[in-house]
Amino acid sequence: ETTKSLTLVSSACDMVSTAYASTKESHSHIRSLCDAAEQGVKSVTEVTARPLQPVLMTLEPHVAAASECASKGLDKLGEKFALLQKPMEQTIPDTKVLVSSRVADAKDAVSS
């Protein structure tokens, strides 16, 4: 939930997901490698998850508490850095303008 409120993070994840899906669709040899990797991860996860189920159930309250703490931290981060509330498509040009401005300021300071 919290990562969805951080538009920058959400849009970056969407961009990566779209690029991954597009690459898989465009290149059959890459698709077969990605499918194999995905299946391997799925298999490992399934095999590993069964024996760990009792441990995971024991840790569940602790994981929930850690998740809540992380969520609050991300909320505070989002409040302090307005940049995280903007989509990736808007952040990149804004960052370029900011960096250009800072470089120009530095040049002016050095030349004077």
Side-chain angles (χ1 to χ4, degrees):
E1 269 181 49
T2 301
T3 39
K4 292 213 182 271
S5 69
L6 298 176
T7 308
L8 176 65
V9 175
S10 181
S11 68
C13 289
D14 290 344
M15 288 175 70
V16 169
S17 178
T18 300
Y20 178 77
S22 174
T23 301
K24 275 180 64 173
E25 286 301 313
S26 301
H27 306 287
S28 60
H29 58 283
I30 292 177
R31 178 181 25 218
S32 60
L33 287 173
C34 291
D35 289 344
E38 290 168 14
Q39 187 58 43
V41 168
K42 183 179 176 186
S43 298
V44 167
T45 303
E46 288 172 354
V47 168
T48 308
R50 281 188 207 115
L52 290 178
Q53 198 64 34
V55 174
L56 294 175
M57 289 181 72
T58 303
L59 292 175
E60 189 174 354
H62 304 291
V63 171
S67 178
E68 180 67 25
C69 184
S71 179
K72 287 178 183 175
L74 285 173
D75 287 342
K76 286 181 182 178
L77 192 63
E79 291 169 11
K80 290 187 180 201
F81 296 99
L83 180 71
L84 297 173
Q85 301 300 332
K86 295 180 181 179
M88 188 74 146
E89 298 82 8
Q90 185 180 353
T91 303
I92 293 172
D94 288 353
T95 303
K96 286 180 182 177
V97 169
L98 179 63
V99 169
S100 296
S101 171
R102 297 292 188 232
V103 168
D105 292 346
K107 283 181 182 178
D108 290 344
V110 169
S111 66
S112 62

